[in-house]
Amino acid sequence: EDQVTQSPEALRLQEGESSSLNCSYTVSGLRGLFWYRQDPGKGPEFLFTLYSAGEEKEKERLKATLTKKESFLHITAPKPEDSATYLCAVQALGNNNDMRFGAGTRLTVKP
Amino acid sequence: KAGVTQTPRYLIKTRGQQVTLSCSPISGHRSVSWYQQTPGQGLQFLFEYFSETQRNKGNFPGRFSGRQFSNSRSEMNVSTLELGDSALYLCASSLDGRPDNSPLHFGNGTRLTVT
């Protein structure tokens, strides 16, 4: 069965303190791995799609990378407005288009 | 461009009642997916509709159902509510329902509380 595990559950950083979030996955053939950001009381907001090992994508202070077993979301010099829950999801090969989500990492950036 | 709109934002219902949630997708998007989000289980896939047809269904009981209209708007219905149905219900739309091809865009959800 497809599984997605995110770590750590929660992360507290000082403003400017860079770090990485981890997403480990087990899937019978990967069609895509997705990163979303969710603010309290809101729906997830799409960040990145990664398709194959070695791929990297960047957006402002965020960079997502992908290996055959895990993905990292690197946050460089974070700001308080980066505080949110970051969700990772995978889509497996096959006819179904549903995504399997991890439990998320709750990031807090202190000024 | 307007985002995904879900109504109502909050609902309080009693066990045994039924509820209907509504979702208006982004203009031009033909696929609508529904997810349930709870603190214990996280985000779980309910079902996906494309051009008024249910294409995929998650592992939820038959009390959970949905439909899609010709204008791509979608409704989700939960009958015989149970306490465990309390959750945030999220709707997501995309051009073709393939996340690897067209990212899913989520609404802000309907918070359902069953008492």
Side-chain angles (χ1 to χ4, degrees), chain A residues 19-91:
Chain A
S19 188
S20 296
L21 313 182
N22 178 263
C23 171
S24 297
Y25 64 91
T26 304
V27 66
S28 52
L30 181 70
R31 181 180 281 178
L33 184 140
F34 313 89
W35 283 98
Y36 281 82
R37 167 196 171 125
Q38 186 173 24
D39 293 298
K42 295 197 171 184
E45 175 190 344
F46 172 75
L47 293 173
F48 304 109
T49 303
L50 300 166
Y51 297 98
S52 57
E55 189 174 2
E56 297 182 354
K57 288 198 176 168
E58 287 188 67
K59 180 180 180 180
E60 296 180 1
R61 295 176 293 282
L62 301 177
K63 183 167 89 170
T65 61
L66 180 66
T67 73
K68 287 187 176 179
K69 292 185 177 180
E70 57 192 351
S71 177
F72 292 93
L73 185 66
H74 307 278
I75 303 178
T76 303
K79 298 182 178 182
E81 52 263 41
D82 294 323
S83 296
T85 295
Y86 290 85
L87 297 164
C88 169
V90 298
Q91 181 190 6

Side-chain angles (χ1 to χ4, degrees), chain B residues 16 79 83 86 91 108-109:
Chain B
S79 63
L83 294 178
S86 294
C91 164
N108 287 330

